[in-house]
Amino acid sequence: MDGNGRWAKKRFLPRIAGHKRGVEVVRDMVKECATLGVEYLTLFAFSSENWRRPQEEVSFLMGLFMEALKHEVGKLHQNNIRLIMIGDRSRFDAALCAQIDEAERTTAANTGLVLTIAANYGGRWDLMQAMNRMQLAHPELTGRFEETDLTPYLSMHYAPEPDLFIRTGGEERISNFLLWQLAYSELYFTDTLWPDFNHKAFSQAIKSYQNRERRFGRTSEQLTGEQDNGQAKHA
Ligand code: IPE
Ligand code: MG
């Protein structure tokens, strides 16, 4: 979700106005995904690198998380949405950690959309924490690990790999998001700034996804007859 600051700047507003508006768009898109039957929605809210921003902006963003958790969890729960936060929580204050725990606990048994918020997340951080935990659990396997040994320790072990990756705001980079899981995802980049993202912009992304041929290394001919219905399950 990129482009909040530029959206605000274009309107001669402080950057935080863009973040506020961004939260409203998150709300709309969660609703949209739940309605469409998307099974997993994962949002990159705050990267490990975002701490480098001015202290004021970081504090504001932390405050926004806290507010959003407090105010939205009830609604998520009513709508059968399960909320999970991934990322390194060690830099969050105790109150925020408690709020996250409570939100996850409240919605843990919900069976609808799985909404994952990546906060203080980085793909390399995730790989390293997974490798360290895997090695601790299997000291006898040093140097003989396989992909399937690692995947249970990745933050998103509970979800399939994303079908569709969307980045707003014009940059065409992964920026240390789900590095392992995006290996075969369809990448979609749009100039639309996150606060302007809406139903129409999302439909365009889905349409683009539906026109792609996902070969996973196979040839086009091999796929004939085994295409699914092109419906993204994890965006
Ligand atoms: C994305 O918008 C929101 C967060 C990273 C929290 P930006 O704040 O990066 O907006 P731009 O890139 O400055 O426009
Ligand atoms: Mg940005």
Side-chain angles (χ1 to χ4, degrees), residues 93-152:
D93 69 30
L96 183 53
C97 288
Q99 198 73 45
I100 294 171
D101 284 341
E102 196 190 315
E104 287 184 336
R105 223 174 313 121
T106 308
T107 62
N110 291 343
T111 54
L113 174 71
V114 178
L115 170 63
T116 303
I117 307 286
N120 197 19
Y121 178 87
R124 291 183 182 174
W125 165 83
D126 195 7
L127 283 167
M128 293 317 296
Q129 68 77 26
M131 282 184 219
N132 288 327
R133 290 197 299 134
M134 173 185 71
Q135 199 147 42
L136 273 177
H138 301 283
E140 77 289 356
L141 277 179
T142 312
R144 304 182 59 92
F145 292 108
E146 316 243 339
E147 285 186 14
T148 46
D149 295 319
L150 184 71
T151 43

Side-chain angles (χ1 to χ4, degrees), residues 57-120:
E57 185 172 339
V58 171
S59 309
F60 182 82
L61 285 168
M62 293 300 141
L64 260 191
F65 284 148
M66 191 74 180
E67 286 302 301
L69 282 171
K70 267 191 201 154
H71 290 117
E72 306 294 332
V73 169
K75 245 180 286 165
L76 293 178
H77 190 40
Q78 277 169 18
N79 287 291
N80 197 24
I81 295 170
R82 182 174 169 202
L83 179 75
I84 301 177
M85 300 277 281
I86 57 166
D88 180 4
R89 294 186 196 178
S90 63
R91 276 183 83 171
F92 294 155
D93 69 30
L96 183 53
C97 288
Q99 198 73 45
I100 294 171
D101 284 341
E102 196 190 315
E104 287 184 336
R105 223 174 313 121
T106 308
T107 62
N110 291 343
T111 54
L113 174 71
V114 178
L115 170 63
T116 303
I117 307 286
N120 197 19

Side-chain angles (χ1 to χ4, degrees), residues 162-167 171-174 177-179 181-190 205 208-209 212 214:
D163 294 311
L164 173 62
F165 162 100
I166 300 173
R167 180 176 184 147
E171 313 283 1
E172 302 194 345
R173 285 194 291 273
I174 306 284
F177 195 30
L178 302 163
L179 295 180
Q181 296 86 343
L182 289 172
Y184 285 101
S185 305
E186 295 297 330
L187 306 181
Y188 179 83
F189 299 97
T190 170
S208 164
Y209 171 84
R212 308 216 189 162
R214 307 192 73 198

Side-chain angles (χ1 to χ4, degrees), residues 1-7 15 19 45-46 50 53 57 61:
M1 300 182 286
D2 201 8
N4 294 353
R6 279 164 284 163
W7 180 91
R15 293 178 56 82
H19 296 317
F46 192 86
N50 286 147
R53 293 190 175 200
E57 185 172 339
L61 285 168

